[in-house]
Amino acid sequence: MTHVMDELDRSIVLATQGGLPLVPRPYARLADTVGTSQEDVMSRLRRLLAIGAIRRIAAVPNHYALGLAANAMTVWDVDDAALPELGPRVGRLDFVSHCYHRPRRLPEWPFNLFAMVHGRGQSEVDAKIEVIAALLGSRCKAHDALLSTRILKKTGLRIAG
Amino acid sequence: MLDAMDRKLVNRLQAGFPLCERPFDEVGCEVGLTEEETLRRVGALLAGGQLSRFGPMYNIERMGGAFCLCALSAPEADFDRIAEAVNAFPEVAHNYQRAHKLNMWFVLAVETAENIAELTARIERATGCEVLAFPKLEEFFIGLRVEA
């Protein structure tokens, strides 16, 4: 994790893993923590945003607390030739949070497209799965929806200090 | 639980937080709150769990690291022991039980992509289960804007 970040960048990442400080001047506070100026912190964050090391600085809502209590990891066996066109269309659906092309593991796992679907309840999730099925049409041979029955661990990104 | 102003604030903050000297003041001006009240509400939304995070969202892959989704099939009788063995690895960021023959799905977060194969081999030794790795080949979209 070194080629695009120097030690100070890394200190900034470590200092913000838990989030930004809730103070009127959060970037000045962060600068004090890592031992540089506010201007330096802001220009480093701008650079990390520009190269995509930071997706964005934002609030992440808790889907459950906002009423999206149901979710399913939906998996689809899509014709490889059609995936470049269909993958982005599934990813852009407003109820899909993550959408990836992943390898099949034959014979037990024929699915190559993964899409996390969220809804206010199971029937809403089921209806949204039907929307994806209709979008993929005959270019999808099979699909499944894996409901999560228990969260066993959730810590998010933690890099070693 | 959320009043109309909280909803406005959550929707505004999902779009991105400004990089300027007094960002809470700037966001407050946009939604019609003082800086102090903006800070108080963001703190309350985090404390109340309506926001799970507030700050930079890092993309570990652009920093040279990698995520990898993995799955294994744990026999029901041995499920809790296997979950404990998997969770004991600090590289395991999330782990979910799912209703499928492959009933345990977890995400590895590692600082260099080359570590994945070695790590899945160690998890296989610790659990006695075959670990299937599903590295992403392509990302079509990440991010869900939830209308609060």
Side-chain angles (χ1 to χ4, degrees):
Chain A
M1 203 179 277
T2 49
H3 61 294
V4 298
M5 304 199 340
D6 66 15
E7 274 311 302
L8 198 50
D9 289 331
R10 197 181 161 87
S11 302
I12 292 171
V13 174
L14 288 171
T16 54
Q17 284 191 110
L20 274 183
L22 296 181
V23 296
R25 293 179 171 80
Y27 304 114
R29 171 70 62 87
L30 188 52
D32 288 344
T33 305
V34 302
T36 186
S37 67
Q38 171 180 273
E39 234 354 278
D40 190 33
V41 162
M42 284 167 51
S43 74
R44 284 168 181 272
L45 289 173
R46 256 181 227 112
R47 188 186 75 89
L48 293 173
L49 278 162
I51 66 171
I54 297 176
R55 291 178 187 279
R56 60 184 186 277
I57 302 174
V60 181
N62 177 334
H63 299 148
Y64 294 90
L66 293 180
L68 293 185
N71 72 76
M73 184 175 81
T74 69
V75 293
W76 308 80
D77 177 3
V78 180
D79 184 2
D80 286 316
L83 201 55
E85 183 224 324
L86 292 172
R89 288 177 60 195
V90 173
R92 276 197 299 272
L93 294 169
D94 62 5
F95 51 83
V96 170
S97 63
H98 296 71
C99 185
Y100 300 108
H101 175 201
R102 299 187 187 277
R104 295 185 175 91
R105 297 294 182 199
L106 298 171
E108 70 258 64
W109 191 263
F111 309 109
N112 59 344
L113 180 70
F114 287 57
M116 284 297 309
V117 172
H118 299 264
R120 288 176 202 279
Q122 195 50 52
S123 60
E124 194 176 301
V125 167
D126 290 343
K128 286 168 173 176
I129 291 171
E130 287 312 309
V131 172
I132 299 178
L135 188 158
L136 296 175
S138 62
R139 285 171 297 184
C140 172
K141 286 196 283 293
H143 72 271
D144 202 350
L146 280 67
L147 308 182
S148 96
T149 47
R150 193 155 42 123
I151 298 175
L152 303 169
K153 184 176 185 183
K154 188 164 190 173
T155 56
L157 169 61
R158 283 286 179 268
I159 68 170
Chain B
M1 50 181 203
L2 296 193
D3 66 19
M5 182 51 83
D6 284 331
R7 289 175 196 283
K8 200 168 164 185
L9 189 58
V10 168
N11 290 334
R12 170 62 189 82
L13 290 173
Q14 284 185 78
F17 190 63
L19 256 170
C20 62
E21 195 173 343
R22 305 275 293 264
F24 291 99
D25 188 50
E26 185 169 317
V27 167
C29 283
E30 284 179 36
V31 299
L33 289 172
T34 63
E35 180 183 55
E36 191 187 350
E37 180 64 6
T38 306
L39 274 161
R40 192 196 64 74
R41 284 182 185 254
V42 173
L45 290 164
L46 282 164
Q50 290 92 358
L51 293 181
S52 56
R53 212 191 122 72
F54 172 67
M57 297 165 63
Y58 289 101
N59 181 349
I60 196 172
E61 280 130 352
R62 291 287 168 83
M63 302 192 291
F67 283 117
C68 186
L69 178 68
C70 295
L72 60 78
S73 179
E76 212 46 60
D78 216 10
F79 190 91
D80 290 341
R81 178 194 69 80
I82 291 167
E84 221 170 280
V86 169
N87 292 350
F89 285 84
E91 297 89 347
V92 172
H94 313 168
N95 188 5
Y96 290 87
Q97 180 175 19
R98 294 192 180 275
H100 190 270
K101 183 174 177 297
L102 288 168
N103 54 1
M104 196 182 296
W105 289 79
F106 49 95
V107 173
L108 304 178
V110 295
E111 291 202 32
T112 58
E114 303 80 65
N115 295 350
I116 297 277
E118 188 241 346
L119 187 57
T120 56
R122 280 169 54 211
I123 296 173
E124 289 185 333
R125 285 197 294 277
T127 58
C129 298
E130 184 193 3
V131 173
L132 295 181
F134 295 94
K136 72 177 178 192
L137 303 176
E138 195 177 349
E139 175 179 306
F140 295 119
F141 183 74
I142 286 200
L144 173 71
R145 288 284 300 278
V146 184
E147 201 61 31

